[in-house]
Amino acid sequence: MSFDDADTLSMYRRMILIRRFEETAVGLRTGGEIYGPVHPYIGQEAIAVGVCSQLSAQDRIASTHRGHGHCLAKGADPAKMFAELYGRRDGYCGGKGGSMHIADFSIGMLGANGIVGASLSIAAGAALAAQFEGAGSVAVAFFGDGAVGTGAFHEAMNLSSLWNLPVVWVCENNGWAVRTPLSENVAAEQVTTLAGAHGIPSVQVDGNDVEAVAAAACVAVSRARAGHGPSFVEAVTYRMTVHAYLDKTVPDPRDPVEREAWRQRDPIDHYREVLTARSVLDGTADAGLRSTIEAEIADAVEYARRSPLPSLSSALDDVFSAEEGVLA
Amino acid sequence: MKMNMTEAFDQALIREMKRDQRVICMCTMPMPALEREFGPDRMRHLPISENGFTGLAVGAALSGLRPVVVIRNTTFSLLAMDSIVNQAAKARYMTGGQASVPLVVRTEFSNGARMAAQHSQPAYSMYAQASGLKIIAPATPADAFGLLTAAVRSDDPVMCFEAARIASSSGDVPDDLDSVPIGRASVRREGDDVTIVGLLHTAGLAEAAADILRQDGIFAEVIDLRSIVPLDSSAIRASVRNTGRLIVVDESVPTCSVASEVLSLVVEDDETFGALRAPVRRVCSRPVPIPFSAELEDFVLPDVADVVTAVRSVLASELSR
C-alpha cells in the first residue's frame, strides 16, 4: 500500500496532536488543575491514527477508557475535549462524562467507555445498523488486551461472524491490563488465534508503525465495506506511561529495561525518521508543524479554562429524552 | 378484539415494525408470528449470549435502529446488566444528551410456574435503580399492546417486565387503541375504605381480594401500577388521601422493592401522610430464593388470602390521633 505525501503528513500531524494533547492533560492532572482519571494514549498513537485514516465520517467507532486518541483520530475538537476534562459547560458532555465518556456522535465517535469489553458489543450493534443502512459504512471497536478475557469479547466475535457484520476488531495489545501482564491474562499464545476460533480472519501488525496499521486497516475496512464480514487486527504496542493518572496513581510494575526498549520505538520518532528519509519532511517543516499544534493545544486549554462551570440544574437534564419529560 | 397477553405483545410489535422500518426484534426463542411477517433479518434469532446481544442492541440503537430484544427470562437479563445499566441507561446522560438509546428489553419471570430460583425473580427493583431506564409492567392485554407500543416509540431505553403466570390470560384490546402512556397507573376498582396497589400478577390478586372484602362491606380501591419508572405518584397519593389506608402487593422480596418505594411516596408526602388512618403494609414474597416444591413456592409467594389478611389487619389497627 502506498501513501501520498498529504496522507502521510496528515497522519504524522495527528499523532503529534494526540501526543501533545495527552502530555498536556497529564501535566494539568499532576499539577492539580484538572481532576478525575486520565488514561494517556501516549505510545499508542499510531493505532488510532492508522485505523481512522481509512474511515469516513459515516463510519462509527467505539472506544475504551483510554479514549482521547480515538476521539482525536476520528476528528474530535480538542477544545471541547479539554473543556470536558475540566468538567465545564462547553465540554463534549457538558461536564457529565469526563475523560472516560467523551463522545462526538456528529463524527461517528460513539464514546469512550469505562467498562472493559463494552466497545465490542457497541461496535457490533453499530455494524448491524450499517448493514441495514446498506451504504457500505463500517464500525470499528478499539479495545486492549485486557478485554480479551471478557465474555463481551467472545460474544461480540461470535455474533459478528454469525451475522457477517461489517466490523473491524482492533486489539491494541500493549502487553499489560493495568498491572497484569498478557501472559497472566490470556491463555492463548496469540490473541489472533481467538479471532480464528470464531471464523474471523486476523492479522498481527506493528502497532507503532502507522503505515503498517493503516495498511492492515485498509484491508479489513475494504472487506467490511464489500460485505465480506468482520476482520481482526492485533496491533502490538506499548503504553509509554502508567495505566492512569488518578488521585493515587497506580505504581508502574513494568521492568524499566522493557520500558526503555519501547521508548526507543516511539511511533512518532519512528515516523519522523521515515518521512525525513523519504524527503517528505525536514527539520523546518517539522518545527512549523509542531508549533501549529502547540498553538492549537494552547488555544484548546484556554477555551476550557474560560468555559463556564455547568449550571447546577444541568445535573438533572439528559436522563430521559425531552419530548417525554413526564417524570415522577 | 379479544386476545391473550402474548398475542397482544406480538400485535403491537407487528404494527410498529410495519410502521417504522428501523424497528427490529431479536430473541433467542422462535417468535413465529413475527417471523412469518418480517423474515429473519428483522426478526432475528439470537445465540445465547445475553450481555453480548443486549450490548449489540445498545450499539444498534445508538446508531439509528430501534431494537426490541426479548430476553426469555428475567434472571437471564442479569447477565446483561452491564449492557442495560452501564450502557443503555447511562448513555444519554454521560454524553451530555448526545446519545439516544431507543431500545426495548422485554423479559418474563416465572414466579408461580414451578421453575425454581434461577427462573423466578421479578428483578425490576434492581433495574429501577438505574437512572435513565423506563420500566413498564403491563398486566392486561390492552396494556400490553398499548405500553409496548409506547415503549417502541420512546427514544429512551425501556424494560418491559412480563409475568409468566398471566401470559395466557385474555382480555379485550380495543380496535382503536393507539398507545398507553408510560408512567400512568390505572384504577381497576374504585373504593373508599382501603387502597390496594399491585402490579402484573399481583394486580389480579388485589382485585380478587377486593371482591372478597366487598362481601363484608369493605370497599377497596385497586390500583394497577402499569409502570414502575416513572411511578405514578399522583394516582397513588390521590387514592390514599381518599381511603387513608394502603396495602402494596409485590411478588418481589420486600427489601428495597417497588412496594417499599410506593410506601415511601405516600409517607413522604405531607398531605397524604396526614390522611393516613392506619399503618401501611407491604405484602411481598418471603425473603428467600423461590423454591421448587409447589407447597413451598405457594407458601413463599403472596396470595389473595395474604392480601385480605393485610387489609383486615390495617382496618383493625387504626392510628390513634
Side-chain angles (χ1 to χ4, degrees):
Chain A
M1 179 177 190
S2 68
F3 299 90
D4 67 29
D5 292 356
D7 289 343
T8 57
L9 282 171
S10 164
M11 291 197 292
Y12 179 63
R13 189 194 166 285
R14 195 138 293 201
M15 286 203 290
I16 298 172
L17 177 69
I18 295 171
R19 175 69 56 91
R20 290 298 302 132
F21 182 97
E22 295 293 55
E23 288 173 346
T24 306
V26 168
L28 292 166
R29 179 66 180 86
T30 54
E33 188 166 332
I34 60 173
Y35 45 82
V38 172
H39 297 81
Y41 197 62
I42 294 171
Q44 304 182 202
E45 296 92 341
I47 303 170
V49 170
V51 170
C52 290
S53 73
Q54 303 304 307
L55 301 180
S56 74
Q58 286 70 44
D59 298 319
R60 300 178 178 100
I61 65 169
S63 168
T64 69
H65 55 287
R66 199 177 303 289
H68 303 165
H70 306 134
C71 292
L72 290 167
K74 195 73 168 64
D77 177 354
K80 291 174 75 176
M81 289 175 65
F82 270 121
E84 190 59 32
L85 298 189
Y86 274 79
R88 298 297 169 92
R89 184 197 69 185
D90 300 318
Y92 265 113
C93 314
K96 288 195 276 207
S99 166
M100 283 193 287
H101 304 298
I102 296 177
D104 185 346
F105 278 66
S106 71
I107 57 168
M109 164 55 194
L110 303 186
N113 207 300
I115 305 297
V116 171
S119 64
L120 287 112
S121 324
I122 288 171
L128 179 66
Q131 201 174 56
F132 271 95
E133 287 159 7
S137 293
V138 305
V140 175
F142 293 98
F143 52 94
D145 44 301
V148 170
T150 66
F153 172 95
H154 293 278
E155 292 179 12
M157 291 284 135
N158 183 50
L159 279 158
S160 72
S161 191
L162 276 174
W163 293 359
N164 201 40
L165 295 175
V167 65
V168 181
W169 303 117
V170 179
C171 178
E172 305 189 23
N173 183 356
N174 68 19
W176 291 82
V178 191
R179 302 186 67 190
T180 307
L182 185 67
S183 59
E184 293 177 29
N185 205 44
V186 179
E189 293 220 350
Q190 292 286 327
V191 171
T192 48
T193 60
L194 299 172
H198 292 290
I200 298 173
S202 65
V203 63
Q204 186 189 64
V205 294
D206 178 354
N208 285 24
D209 178 342
V210 70
E211 291 188 1
V213 173
C218 178
V219 173
V221 168
S222 304
R223 282 186 40 128
R225 288 205 202 290
H228 298 142
S231 307
F232 188 100
V233 177
E234 180 196 6
V236 178
T237 186
Y238 199 71
R239 152 165 63 73
M240 286 171 63
T241 69
V242 292
H243 162 67
Y245 290 87
L246 306 158
D247 287 339
K248 195 174 175 208
T249 294
V250 183
D252 196 332
R254 301 173 304 176
D255 182 350
V257 177
E258 176 185 297
R259 279 189 280 165
E260 179 55 26
W262 278 96
R263 209 187 60 73
Q264 296 299 324
R265 300 193 46 213
D266 183 316
I268 296 175
D269 290 349
H270 167 73
Y271 203 40
R272 186 183 61 235
E273 286 159 19
V274 168
L275 295 184
T276 305
R278 271 189 221 155
S279 302
V280 175
L281 187 72
D282 60 19
T284 312
D286 189 35
L289 191 143
R290 283 171 188 268
S291 78
T292 309
I293 290 169
E294 227 40 55
E296 187 180 353
I297 294 287
D299 287 350
V301 171
E302 210 35 50
Y303 173 85
R305 284 178 177 146
R306 278 200 310 267
S307 171
L309 294 170
S311 69
L312 294 184
S313 67
S314 75
L316 307 179
D317 296 338
D318 301 324
V319 179
F320 292 108
S321 55
E323 90 260 18
E324 308 178 58
V326 258
L327 287 178
Chain B
M1 202 198 319
K2 194 172 161 71
M3 60 181 88
N4 67 30
M5 296 287 287
T6 305
E7 290 162 343
F9 284 124
D10 279 352
Q11 289 307 312
L13 284 179
I14 287 170
R15 190 180 64 165
E16 290 311 293
M17 287 172 76
K18 282 182 177 167
R19 198 182 59 82
D20 186 343
Q21 292 295 311
R22 299 170 300 173
V23 180
I24 61 169
C25 187
M26 309 198 274
C27 186
T28 52
M29 303 275 278
M31 294 178 70
L34 275 74
E35 269 161 25
R36 274 195 303 275
E37 194 80 42
F38 301 103
D41 270 357
R42 292 184 66 207
M43 177 59 245
R44 299 182 88 89
H45 191 77
L46 289 168
I48 295 169
S49 47
E50 284 80 5
N51 193 41
F53 67 64
T54 309
L56 178 149
V58 175
L62 287 169
S63 306
L65 292 178
R66 303 180 75 85
V68 177
V69 177
V70 185
I71 301 181
R72 265 319 348 156
N73 199 287
T74 301
T75 50
F76 310 161
S77 81
L78 302 180
L79 287 153
M81 271 190 111
D82 176 56
S83 295
I84 297 170
V85 176
N86 275 324
Q87 310 300 336
K90 297 173 184 173
R92 180 184 297 279
Y93 189 83
M94 291 192 303
T95 61
Q98 290 183 64
S100 200
V101 187
L103 165 71
V104 178
V105 177
R106 289 180 55 194
T107 184
E108 180 182 274
F109 56 90
S110 300
N111 288 38
R114 318 309 183 203
M115 292 292 285
Q118 287 182 339
H119 288 70
S120 309
Q121 183 168 5
Y124 34 71
S125 51
M126 292 186 185
Y127 291 100
Q129 284 274 321
S131 301
L133 206 56
K134 291 176 177 171
I135 302 180
I136 57 174
T140 67
D143 286 343
F145 182 89
L147 280 167
L148 185 58
T149 298
V152 173
R153 293 178 188 173
S154 170
D155 285 335
D156 298 310
V158 181
M159 280 193 88
C160 176
F161 281 90
E162 304 166 23
R165 260 187 301 186
I166 57 173
S168 56
S169 66
S170 292
D172 183 54
V173 177
D175 290 338
D176 61 350
L177 178 64
D178 185 44
S179 69
V180 170
I182 297 173
R184 294 283 171 266
S186 73
V187 176
R188 288 217 198 165
R189 290 270 204 290
E190 291 188 352
D192 294 327
D193 295 326
V194 60
T195 301
I196 312 178
V197 173
L199 73 163
L200 294 162
H201 174 66
T202 65
L205 296 185
E207 277 190 310
D211 290 342
I212 292 169
L213 292 161
R214 194 183 181 92
Q215 293 162 12
D216 293 343
I218 300 163
F219 294 90
E221 181 138 298
V222 174
I223 293 181
D224 175 358
L225 288 177
R226 302 200 294 183
S227 293
I228 296 170
V229 180
L231 200 50
D232 192 347
S233 55
S234 53
I236 297 162
R237 285 169 175 164
S239 176
V240 175
R241 279 177 210 154
N242 179 45
T243 63
R245 301 181 183 90
L246 173 66
I247 305 291
V248 190
V249 199
D250 177 3
E251 287 198 286
S252 306
V253 298
T255 307
C256 300
S257 60
V258 169
S260 3
E261 185 61 21
V262 170
L263 298 194
S264 303
L265 288 172
V266 162
V267 299
E268 273 183 350
D269 180 65
D270 292 354
E271 191 187 337
T272 315
F273 181 75
L276 282 176
R277 299 158 63 184
V280 293
R281 289 264 193 281
R282 289 178 289 182
V283 178
C284 293
S285 285
R286 291 171 196 263
V288 295
I290 297 300
F292 167 67
S293 161
E295 286 69 22
L296 298 179
E297 183 173 34
D298 290 346
F299 171 71
V300 163
L301 293 177
D303 60 17
V304 176
D306 294 330
V307 182
V308 170
T309 303
V311 170
R312 295 198 196 285
S313 96
V314 300
L315 284 165
S317 62
E318 294 289 296
L319 290 171
S320 54
R321 59 179 188 193

